[in-house]
Amino acid sequence: TVNLGGSAPTYMAANFNPFLLPTGSADPGIVFVYEPLMYVNPLNGAVTPMLATSYKWEDNNLKMVVTIRKDVKWNDGVSFTPQDVVFTFNLLKKYPALDSNGIWSSGLQNVAASGDDVTFTFSKPDIPMYFYILRTLIVPEHIWSKVEDPTTFMNADNPVGTGPFLRTSYSVANNTEYFPKNPTYWWS
């Protein structure tokens, strides 16, 4: 169990929406629960596979094809699928306030799944956008499709993610959060 005590302002304990990170109002422990497709090191560009195992550019750099890792489960036991990735990016399109990296204003036209692949189709080449796409935290469609307004959803109680830890409780009074190990975590 990881205990984040006294490390964050009290208002953070009530916000576990991964799309509110850029505003500075989301919990720093959010990366314990949510994961990106890949981690791209901003200092040296090194790419570490996470929920995706590879990516490649096709069609004169108009399509980025990302292969999604198999046998990953959300921490509630539901299988993670390429459709969750498509859902996440379409959520950003539907609610532009959540698209803080401007992914959809970059010329991205479509995101579609086929088998284990998710294809990002652009109107013009925009290779640098891979950095933002691969680092986007992915949310479960089976939970977030029921959220009435994801721009105000605080997601504070037992958020569902694929990360190595569960967020089971927090104490606003003590400014402390508890993160026990996710028993279904894919990386062994």
Side-chain angles (χ1 to χ4, degrees):
T1 299
V2 175
N3 176 352
L4 292 183
S7 64
T10 304
Y11 68 84
M12 289 184 174
N15 181 9
F16 232 71
N17 182 328
F19 303 117
L20 298 181
L21 275 170
T23 67
S25 64
D27 192 293
I30 209 157
V31 294
F32 292 168
V33 175
Y34 292 102
E35 294 179 302
L37 296 171
M38 296 185 172
Y39 174 72
V40 183
N41 187 319
L43 299 177
N44 63 15
V47 177
T48 303
M50 299 291 289
L51 296 176
T53 58
S54 66
Y55 77 97
K56 62 184 174 183
W57 287 95
E58 296 180 346
D59 194 18
N60 293 316
N61 300 325
L62 292 175
K63 292 183 180 183
M64 184 174 77
V65 180
V66 179
T67 302
I68 304 304
R69 185 177 301 280
K70 296 178 185 180
D71 301 323
V72 174
K73 292 192 180 296
W74 295 103
N75 63 23
D76 64 358
V78 174
S79 292
F80 166 77
T81 69
Q83 191 56 43
D84 289 307
V85 177
V86 172
F87 172 81
T88 298
F89 284 93
N90 283 329
L91 187 70
L92 298 179
K93 181 179 184 180
K94 183 175 181 180
Y95 296 94
L98 301 178
D99 187 10
S100 61
N101 290 314
I103 291 170
W104 283 98
S105 62
S106 71
L108 182 63
Q109 292 182 313
N110 187 49
V111 179
S114 177
D116 294 330
D117 292 335
V118 174
T119 301
F120 296 82
T121 303
F122 293 83
S123 61
K124 62 184 190 265
D126 194 349
I127 293 174
M129 191 49 61
Y130 90 102
F131 177 85
Y132 300 102
I133 290 172
L134 295 179
R135 288 176 49 117
T136 297
L137 299 176
I138 306 300
V139 297
E141 180 177 17
H142 70 280
I143 302 292
W144 284 72
S145 63
K146 298 172 189 160
V147 173
E148 189 172 316
D149 182 357
T151 65
T152 60
F153 179 50
M154 299 311 269
N155 198 29
D157 297 319
N158 300 316
V160 175
T162 58
F165 296 95
L166 307 171
R167 187 200 191 222
T168 56
S169 64
Y170 64 91
S171 168
V172 173
N174 297 328
N175 196 22
T176 302
E177 298 184 74
Y178 301 94
F179 294 86
K181 182 180 177 185
N182 176 358
T184 65
Y185 191 52
W186 58 271
W187 196 336
S188 45

